[in-house]
Every structure is written in C-alpha cells, then in structure tokens.
Amino acid sequence: MADDLLDSSEKTDVPDVGPLLAAAVAGVGGAERPGQVKMAEAVAHAIESGEHLAVQAGTGTGKSLAYLVPAVRHAAAENACVVVSTATIALQRQLVERDLPRLAESLTPLLDREPAFAILKGRRNYLCLHRMQVDEPDDPDEILFDAQTVSATGRQVQRIHEWAEKTETGDRDELVPGVSEQAWRQVAVSARECLGAQRCPFGTECYAERARDKAGDADVVVTNHALLAIDALEEFQVLPEHDVAIIDEAHELVDRVTSVATAELSASAVEFAARRCGRLIEDDLADRLKEAGEALQPILADTAPGRMDVLPQALGGTLLPIRDAAYACATALRTSLKTAGDDAERLGAGRAALTALEEIHDTAGRLLETFETDLASRHDVVWLDRPFNEDSRRPTALRVAPLGVGGLLRERLFGRRTTVLTSATLSLGGSFEPLARQWGLPPLGTAADGAAEAAEAPDGDEPEKKDAGERPLRWSGLDVGSPFDHARSGILYIARGLPQPGRDGLPEAYLTELTELIEAAGGRTLGLFSSMRAAKQAAEELRGRLKQPLLCQGDDSTTQLIKQFTDDEATCLFGTLSLWQGVDVPGPSLRLVVIDRIPFPRPDDPLSSARQRAVAAHGGNGFMAVAATHAALLLAQGAGRLLRSMTDRGVVAVLDPRLATARYGGFLRSSLPPFWTTFDSEKVKAALRRLDTAD
C-alpha cells in the first residue's frame, strides 16, 4: 500500500471517482457507459457513507471497472485495503491478469503512485513444500481405491512434483491440465494442519505465506466467496484487515457460504482419523475410535437417505461414542505433541491427525446437538447422503448444514465493514429483497407482487443485538440496467401449448418442438436442462433426428465442449447446472437458448425442503421464498447466456408452459431480461430462420 512511514490515520488527497473512471476506461480503450458511471458513483457513495449497496449491472455494463475504480480510490485516500470476492476462477483471473494491471497503469499518474493488488486463496489451494516431503497417502477413502485409480493418482502426483520445480506461486489453478482432488491432497494442507511459518522448515519459502504477505501490502485483494466465508466463520483472521468488501457474482454468495458451513461424517473418515492418530498415541485409544467408526458403517447402510427430522436411536448410540473417542484421541495427541520439539515430520503428522480428529469430534457433536432442540428451534438441517451411482467413490455420509446463513453474514460481514454486492442477476421479481433477506439484510419496505412473499427467506438465526461499535444495517438497491436493447435483440418464447413436464423424462412433444427450433436456428443452440438425465435423453433422441453436430455435457471436459461449441457455428451443446451460469459465447455460434423446464429444486432436496418448511412455520410462503427464488435466479442466469455482445441476436425458448400459466409465473417472468415475449411457435421459428440466413 502507501509508504510505510505514512500514518494509517492520515488521508491522501486523490481525484474524485469521475476523472479516475474516465482515465481507467481510456486506458482499456473503451468508452464510458451511463450504467457504468452511475454504478461507480453509487459504489463511491456507499464506501463514503458506510451504507451497504446491492447493484445489478447487466452484461456489457463494465461493472468490474465500476467497482474497482472507487475501491482503488478509497485505498489510496485512506491507506486502506479493499477485498474483492468472486465466485469463479474465471473472474478472478480476469481481474488479476487483465483488469487490475491495466487499471493500475492508467491510474498511477493521477494517484502519484502505482496501486498494488494481490490474489489470495485458501491455504489448500497452494502447494505445501513440507507436505511434499512426506511420503504418506492422504485420502480417507483410500481403502476404496482400485489399482487403476491408485496408478492414475500416482501419475498425477508425479506431474505435480515436476510442476513444483518451476512454479513461482504454487497456486493449484496454474497447474494445467488440473489434477484430481485425491492427488492434490497429497501435496497440500489446510490452515489447521499447517505447522506455521515459525516451526516449518520451509516457512520462508512457503507459497501460502508469500501470498498472505503480498496481500498484506496490497490496496486491492482478490479472493473467493469460500475464503470470505472462512474468514467470517473462523475465530482466527484469514484475510488482511479491510473496511470495505466488494462481492462480485453475489447471486452465489449464499450457496458458497452454506457449502463452507456444511460438515459431513462417514465411516471411512472416522477410520481414516483412527489410522492417522494410531501411529502417534496409545493403541487402545485409537482402537476405540476405529471400532466406533466400524459400528457406524452398517447403521448408515440401513438408514434411508434424505432429511432427518428425528435421530434414529441406533444412530444416536453410535455418534456419541464416536464423539467421545475422537475427543479422547485428540487430548492424548495434544499431550504427545508437546514432546515433539522441533521434529517437523512428527509435528506435521500430528497436526494432520489432530485436524481429522477435531473435524470428527465437532461434526458428531453438531449432529447430536441438532436433535437436542425441537424442530422449530433448530438452526441446522441433517440428512443422509447416499450417492445414486454405486460406482461413486463418494461414501455414504451424514451431512449437516445451516438452515440459513443470514445471521452469520449479518453479524460477521455487514456488521463489521461496508459491503457492496453486485451481479448481473440480483433483482428477482422486480425486487432486491428476495436475495437481501437471504443475506440477512433488513427489508427496505413492502415489495410488489410475488417479490414480497419471496423476501421471506429462511434465516435460521434470531436477529443479533448490535455491539456498540457495529455499523447499522442500512442498505440500498440499484439497477443500472444493461447496454443491450433486449426487446429488439431477443425473443422470449414460452411454449404455452405444450403439456406440463412430468417425472418420466421429456415428453415426445418437447423433443419434437426442440428439434424444430434447432433446425430453424441451423444448430447454434445451447440446451439448458434441469437434470443430467434429461440432457442425455434429449441428446440421444435428437442425434438421430438432426444433421447438426450435438455435444452433451460429460462427453468431454466442460471447457473443451464449450470451445468446440464456440468454434463450430452449427454445433449444439446440451448440459445442466454449470452451463446455466458458466457459458460466455458471443457471436453467431449461439442464437438459441432452450430451457426444458422451470429449474425448481427437487422436492426431496433436504436443505431446500427444510428451508421452505421454516419459512412456512413463521407465516411466510415457503415455496415463493425458497423454490421460486431459486428458480428465478437460475432462469435469469440461463436466459443471460443469449446476449453477450452488442451485436448478438436470438431466442430464449422455455418449453415449460407453467411459466405462462402458473400463478407464480409473473414473478419468474419479471426476473428475466425484458425480451419481447411470444407464445407463437411459428413466429419464433421464422425469426430463427431469418437469423440463420443472415449469418
């Protein structure tokens, strides 16, 4: 950041955000857009006033510069640090490799110094030089490995060692092609497993420590939602001190925080922890834990998958000895490690074993505590997860997740620093409140139509009492629009005449409609399906009917499939969830986006169903607050795949007639971009044929 001799309380005079934004836009060879200017001014105001801001900025707005410029200005003026959090690696790379370097170059003359920036990820994302020296398999499910898997993992580990000879960052994301999680676990450690720079023989060379040191000197630190969540959940500090957080791709914040706060317990994980600590403590203690884990296996096998509202007696009788045995082992291990001195190898093995034991103990305890309160008072949801695929290496496991993360975000994020949340999709049903409620922010007022009901999202926590130094939860919402003329560039076609989707796969009428739409478009189709089963069914059926090439998710890596789809204009690509949000294909390769059905969560989804029930118990509409909000968000993201540049044209076709006929249809439609809407199939096909001829 600024000169170390500068007192942290001293402010520096810097230009206003307007001249800085103009210089930044000129530096990238662009032109200022009204939405970009409006957003930059709003972000600057939020930072200055301390009022949180949710800002929706459509594709093409230039929102990265609109928040980076005020962020850099604040860092320079206050000698402070701003954290920018993203959900995807792609956006992290764009910010660090393209946007921030060009921004720094453009603003240096105006700021009289070069802004500094850094990227920071969780410790497990960095190669651990000490871990690489320990020749010990680190996989709780290694007993399930077959010889072929072991060999493949070994080859990947060898490739990591070769890469380690030349990497300067040790960042896993720079290893291309990537490796499996099983292979990476052999060379990485979590924050709890780390020996610490002072005790590790490689402390001065540690990649994670270097990244932390660089982040500590930066004006802007780019991180991810997962690390942001860890920083909020853990008692120890993970991110540098900062008074402003900017959350891009904020529509994914709740899911990412929920994922970090979710724990699981399996028989293989218990056995793994017992084997690890058995080398370091008395055998009888480790044997107690091993036997408790072995007792868990048949009980999980006999337990029905899905949400648990009542703890089966047999399962409760197994979790208790697992918790107690893990505690006894951890206590003995801590005593043992006190005599390890400077033995780095023993310390490393001990820290890894202790981490495994603590996770087993904490998860078993959390599972038991969940059922100690009545259903209406619970903050967690428990379910048994059994993979559908018998060949899956993922074990049957108990999972426990928070019913809501609003309380956590309200206390640990919004209550401590000014926060800006942005995405192309934040306003659902014409209101920011459906997502704001999930974030833990208070309502702004009465929302219109279905948005008011959708705002009653589950929290899982009572409102927190603010500490004296805690900032008030004032916030505002702003939609700066999009540079695209959606009504002139795109058509929303709702197939109102088709039958409602059923549970037995895609009806023949859907396949016929899909075939005719693709033929009219000359291929150029992205098919977004609510399940992989539906995507594969459509691909198998249509390959015999279409002359255009058709790719399906799973045929190759998603990255390679998107490249093939982009390179050949006639090609179609079918897939599921990751394609709803992860495809950016401007130009003539994409003229038609087809959505097979409204993407509601599965009725038997444990977390979604529990959240709906919690909202209903408090007098709200659980379906609107959870299921409809989930569907609206995905629909908006899916429809957003169509227009990616100013010259793009095309059709978003939704085959599910409920979007037009159901009571909640208005809420869902008002969450979509403002395309021209029609129910006339022939008009749509004629428009697609004209586009195909023009291309």
Side-chain angles (χ1 to χ4, degrees), residues 314-327:
L315 183 56
T318 306
L319 291 175
L320 191 60
I322 287 176
R323 184 197 65 183
D324 293 346
Y327 179 82

Side-chain angles (χ1 to χ4, degrees), residues 273-349:
R275 283 189 286 112
R276 264 202 154 175
C277 70
R279 305 162 189 167
L280 302 163
I281 62 174
E282 295 179 9
D283 290 342
D284 60 334
L285 288 175
D287 287 344
R288 274 178 55 195
L289 182 59
K290 183 174 182 294
E291 290 167 3
E294 290 172 346
L296 180 64
Q297 183 69 47
I299 293 175
L300 294 184
D302 291 338
T303 302
R307 193 183 71 225
M308 288 185 184
D309 293 334
V310 178
L311 180 64
Q313 184 175 359
L315 183 56
T318 306
L319 291 175
L320 191 60
I322 287 176
R323 184 197 65 183
D324 293 346
Y327 179 82
C329 289
T331 301
L333 182 55
R334 290 189 189 96
T335 301
S336 173
L337 290 179
K338 290 179 181 178
T339 65
D342 295 328
D343 186 343
E345 185 170 344
R346 184 179 170 192
L347 285 170

